């Protein structure tokens, strides 16, 4: 499967570089997707690449309108596409030679042009082709979904389109993120390949495996980074027809415009375009990649190009509805078991053990006697139930856990299967309401069980690599393939000295620590097992303080 994906990515992936002699700060570059290598050779890439080249007299409001044609940008734009070899001319164009030589006039200092300009032949099978801008078009579906999820009050920030560019604020990025550029390759470079096969994002569900193909750092060093693959899952979906996707594949600056693929029995299919590979909520690195659905983009572009010779064949997207995407994520009932726990103005996550009992973290309930439980997935979507806190560990206990009983049970929730053993290296998934709260339901992140920490041969802490964010506390750590509940998410990792949070290293309370207490309460209504969590030994305290256990030194004879 990886070989098929790699060859498809090599055909579809490309690096885009844009420059102009009037802009003295150099070129802009990023990734793109080759929709069709046959004439006219169409390429899709982020519209933000062209924002520095807007005509000063135009000053268009990027948050309004649907399309900007090429006459809204500086004339004489030099656009280059580095793509898989296919007969592109190896001779330099006059524009390239002029740009390389620079303009020695006082008003136009010499440009330090991007490395693509002198890269005509490649031992790696890449070709550099000139291209022209057809249009920059908006995707309203993505914009609408984005505005509902990403609130400016949460201080969202996104990585820039160049690896040296400083992180931009939401106010600066918002007008540009939902715009996409359509390019035409000028050289006749057909080699028999067909249009990229796409699937609509409406066919996806949380937990589906995705692959990304982009070129980190854009044109900086394509010999090394061209068409780099990454793998992850669909963490969340939002908007009409799932126009906005959040995936947990690890991507880097410069991969904006890269393709997101899913696999079916017929091979890989393009499902989205990377919009922002890195994002922060205030000072917290989220570690999720923002993606726009390919069918939403193409439908927006097709509406503008109606009657044009470059009209995109939308039927190659719509007829893909019948394709079955490989499913290897979590079963639906596991997502339904994770709920939002509200305590006043604060919130966190919780896990329904059965139709009436819920586990969450002590710090989520914050000393309250009652909390509100909000169900945001089927079959109980929209239900809000009052819950009584029947037990919470003391602040001195290393186990940050609370037990909540709903005032009215939900018969549609089955009992969760509880794990009795753990296997370091196994695939795991974390389901929680981290980052987005109730804006788009629980998020799913994937990883492995990276360590099982034991005291006296009994697991006392589970360490995993799935991304965990603020709001994830009390969420569920599941075995991806077994579907069993492994633990309750308690925290991620934070360096208090420098104030940095690391979302991909987190800790959960093993369900084996709680299993007997849960069963005792269900069968007899007895809280004795939970009360024992307040009386655990000092070695467990040391583990959960993330400190080394004191080493006993031999007594000196002196």
């Amino acid at each position: 499967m990886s070989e098929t994906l790699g060859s498809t990515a090599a055909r579809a992936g490309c690096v885009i570089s844009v420059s102009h002699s009037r802009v003295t700060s150099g070129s802009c570059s990023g990734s793109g997707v080759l929709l069709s290598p046959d004439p006219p050779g169409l390429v899709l890439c982020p519209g933000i690449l062209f924002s520095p080249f807007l005509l000063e007299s135009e000053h268009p409001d990027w948050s309004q309108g649907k399309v900007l044609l090429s006459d809204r940008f500086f004339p004489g734009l030099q656009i280059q596409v580095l793509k898989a070899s296919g007969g592109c001319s190896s001779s330099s164009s006059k524009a390239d030679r002029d740009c390389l030589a620079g303009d020695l006039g006082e008003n136009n200092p010499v440009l330090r042009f991007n490395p693509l300009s002198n890269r005509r032949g490649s031992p790696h099978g890449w070709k550099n082709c000139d291209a022209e801008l057809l249009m920059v078009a908006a995707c309203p579906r993505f914009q609408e979904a984005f505005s509902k999820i990403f609130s400016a009050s949460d201080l969202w920030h996104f990585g820039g389109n160049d690896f040296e560019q400083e992180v931009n604020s939401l106010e600066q990025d918002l007008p540009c993120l939902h715009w996409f550029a359509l390019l035409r390759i000028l050289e006749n470079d057909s080699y028999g390949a067909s249009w990229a096969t796409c699937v609509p994002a409406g066919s996806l569900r949380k937990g589906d495996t995705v692959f990304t193909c982009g070129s980190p750092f854009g044109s900086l060093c394509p010999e090394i980074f061209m068409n780099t693959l990454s793998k992850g899952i669909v963490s969340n979906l939002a908007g009409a027809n799932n126009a906005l996707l959040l995936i947990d594949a690890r991507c880097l600056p410069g991969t904006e415009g890269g393709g997101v693929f899913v696999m079916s029995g017929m091979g890989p299919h393009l499902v989205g375009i990377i919009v922002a590979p890195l994002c922060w909520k205030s000072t917290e690195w989220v570690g999720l990649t923002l993606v726009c659905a390919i069918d939403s983009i193409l439908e927006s572009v097709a509406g503008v190009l109606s009657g044009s010779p470059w009209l995109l064949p939308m039927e190659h997207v719509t007829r893909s509805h019948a394709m079955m995407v490989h499913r290897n994520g979590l079963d639906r009932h596991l997502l339904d078991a994770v709920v939002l726990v509200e305590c006043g103005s604060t919130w966190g996550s919780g896990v329904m053990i059965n139709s009436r009992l819920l586990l969450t973290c002590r710090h989520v309930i914050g000393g309250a006697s009652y909390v509100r439980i909000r169900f945001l997935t089927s079959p109980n979507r929209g239900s809000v139930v009052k819950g009584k806190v029947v037990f919470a560990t003391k602040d001195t206990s290393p186990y940050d856990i609370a037990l909540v009983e709903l005032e009215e049970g939900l018969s549609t929730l089955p009992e969760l299967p509880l794990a009795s053993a753990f296997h370091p290296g196994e695939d795991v998934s974390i389901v929680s309401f981290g980052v987005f709260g109730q804006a788009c339901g629980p998020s799913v992140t994937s990883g492995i069980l990276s360590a099982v920490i034991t005291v006296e041969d009994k697991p006392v802490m589970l360490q995993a690599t799935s991304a965990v964010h603020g709001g994830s506390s009390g969420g569920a750590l599941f075995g991806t393939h077994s579907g069993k509940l492994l633990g309750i998410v308690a925290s991620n990792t934070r360096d208090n000295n420098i104030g940095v949070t690391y979302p991909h290293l987190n800790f959960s309370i093993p369900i084996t620590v709680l299993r007997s207490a849960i069963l005792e309460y269900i069968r007899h209504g007895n809280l004795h097992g939970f009360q024992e969590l307040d009386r655990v030994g000092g070695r467990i305290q040391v583990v959960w303080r993330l400190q080394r256990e004191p080493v006993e030194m031999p007594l000196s004879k002196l």
Side-chain angles (χ1 to χ4, degrees):
M1 181 163 59
S2 60
E3 182 179 354
T4 303
L5 177 69
S7 60
T8 299
R11 291 196 301 269
C14 54
V15 172
I16 312 298
S17 179
V18 189
S19 187
H20 193 277
S21 59
R22 292 177 61 182
V23 180
T24 60
S25 59
S27 65
C28 296
S29 67
S31 301
V33 171
L34 193 64
L35 295 176
S36 170
D38 295 329
L42 296 179
V43 174
L44 192 66
C45 68
I48 197 171
L49 288 178
F50 292 86
S51 61
F53 309 104
L54 287 164
L55 286 174
E56 295 153 0
S57 59
E58 297 290 346
H59 295 292
D61 184 355
W62 284 59
S63 63
Q64 305 297 322
K66 295 183 179 180
V67 63
L68 297 172
L69 298 178
S70 58
D71 59 1
R72 304 289 293 275
F73 299 87
F74 292 154
L77 278 180
Q78 291 141 1
I79 306 172
Q80 295 178 307
V81 177
L82 182 65
K83 67 184 190 68
S85 177
C88 181
S89 171
S90 61
S91 61
S92 288
S93 67
K94 182 179 185 300
D96 286 340
R97 291 194 299 271
D98 291 345
C99 185
L100 283 170
D103 188 335
L104 300 182
E106 294 181 0
N107 297 327
N108 292 297
V110 174
L111 289 176
R112 295 185 178 274
F113 198 57
N114 70 84
L116 300 188
S117 60
N118 57 10
R119 178 191 166 84
R120 287 303 176 178
S122 171
H124 303 280
W126 310 115
K127 289 292 184 180
N128 190 24
C129 302
D130 294 320
E132 66 174 352
L133 175 66
L134 298 180
M135 68 171 66
V136 180
C139 182
R141 283 183 186 172
F142 177 85
Q143 182 192 27
E144 181 180 0
F146 182 93
S147 62
K148 291 180 179 179
I149 296 174
F150 294 90
S151 170
S153 62
D154 289 329
L155 302 179
W156 283 97
H157 291 71
F158 297 89
N161 66 304
D162 187 277
F163 80 105
E164 292 180 339
Q165 188 174 351
E166 294 184 357
V167 176
N168 296 321
S169 68
L170 179 62
E171 290 80 3
Q172 292 172 308
D173 284 337
L174 182 57
C176 307
L177 289 178
H178 68 291
W179 288 82
F180 299 88
L182 190 65
L183 313 179
R184 182 175 74 92
I185 296 177
L186 297 176
E187 290 88 345
N188 186 341
D189 193 29
S190 173
Y191 54 98
S194 60
W195 283 80
T197 305
C198 306
V199 294
S203 64
L204 297 181
R205 69 184 189 190
K206 296 177 185 180
D208 283 343
T209 299
V210 293
F211 297 86
T212 67
C213 177
S215 301
F217 315 126
S219 64
L220 173 67
C221 192
E223 293 90 343
I224 297 175
F225 298 114
M226 180 79 174
N227 288 353
T228 297
L229 300 179
S230 185
K231 180 181 179 182
I233 65 169
V234 177
S235 295
N236 223 317
L237 304 154
N241 298 328
N242 295 337
L244 186 151
L245 313 176
L246 287 156
I247 63 175
D248 69 355
R250 314 289 175 82
C251 299
L252 293 174
T255 58
E256 297 91 337
V260 179
F261 297 86
V262 293
M263 300 294 292
S264 78
M266 300 177 65
H269 311 283
L270 184 66
V271 73
I273 299 296
I274 296 172
V275 174
L278 299 175
C279 54
W280 290 260
K281 185 179 182 181
S282 186
T283 58
E284 180 184 17
W285 175 38
V286 172
L288 298 179
T289 296
L290 181 65
V291 176
C292 182
I294 185 65
D295 55 314
S296 294
I297 299 173
L298 295 186
E299 287 179 11
S300 298
V301 173
V304 175
L305 285 178
S306 180
S308 166
W310 298 302
L311 179 62
L312 301 178
M314 286 304 300
E315 64 272 13
H316 84 294
V317 177
T318 56
R319 71 163 175 254
S320 301
H321 278 283
M323 294 181 181
M324 178 56 70
V325 175
H326 286 315
R327 306 288 187 195
N328 56 1
L330 295 175
D331 290 336
R332 180 78 228 184
H333 75 278
L334 300 181
L335 297 178
D336 296 339
V338 180
V339 297
L340 189 74
V341 180
E342 296 178 335
C343 183
S345 60
T346 63
W347 52 268
S349 304
V351 182
M352 297 297 302
I353 300 301
N354 57 28
S355 61
R356 195 139 196 166
L357 287 179
L358 173 146
L359 288 175
T360 186
C361 287
R362 174 188 64 233
H363 73 267
V364 170
I365 59 108
S369 299
Y370 291 90
V371 294
R372 287 159 52 95
I373 313 301
R374 190 178 297 274
F375 293 82
L376 295 173
T377 61
S378 299
N380 300 296
R381 181 188 295 271
S383 299
V384 180
V385 181
K386 190 176 181 181
K388 179 182 179 181
V389 180
V390 296
F391 176 81
T393 53
K394 297 178 180 178
D395 291 344
T396 55
S397 173
Y399 292 126
D400 183 356
I401 204 75
L403 179 67
V404 178
E405 187 167 0
L406 274 61
E407 289 191 341
E408 52 185 287
L410 299 169
S411 59
T412 54
L413 286 176
E415 290 192 13
L416 281 181
L418 308 182
S420 57
F422 311 104
H423 308 285
E426 71 173 297
D427 292 334
V428 296
S429 300
I430 287 179
V431 183
S432 68
F433 285 86
V435 181
F436 300 105
Q438 58 181 294
C440 54
S443 296
V444 186
T445 55
S446 61
I448 65 168
L449 186 62
S450 50
V452 178
I453 294 86
T454 61
V455 171
E456 297 177 355
D457 296 327
K458 293 181 180 180
V460 299
M461 173 191 281
L462 302 180
Q463 177 184 296
T465 62
S466 308
V468 161
H469 317 105
S472 295
S473 297
L477 174 69
F478 289 113
T480 302
H481 304 300
S482 69
K484 293 182 178 181
L485 179 64
L486 304 184
I488 303 299
V489 178
S491 70
N492 53 17
T493 306
R494 180 177 176 84
D495 186 331
N496 290 321
N497 291 327
I498 58 176
V500 173
T501 299
Y502 303 100
H504 292 99
L505 185 63
N506 51 80
F507 307 102
S508 297
I509 301 169
I511 199 62
T512 52
V513 170
L514 310 171
R515 185 186 181 98
S516 61
I518 294 170
L519 296 177
E520 184 180 15
Y521 185 78
I522 291 174
R523 293 168 182 170
H524 308 294
N526 193 329
L527 288 171
H528 174 74
F530 281 101
Q531 291 165 349
E532 287 297 311
L533 299 176
D534 289 327
R535 293 188 282 270
V536 297
R539 293 182 62 189
I540 299 176
Q541 299 270 5
V542 170
V543 168
W544 277 98
R545 283 199 298 265
L546 305 181
Q547 296 176 355
R548 292 188 63 180
E549 186 174 3
V551 178
E552 293 185 7
M553 300 295 294
L555 294 176
S556 171
K557 294 182 179 181
L558 299 178

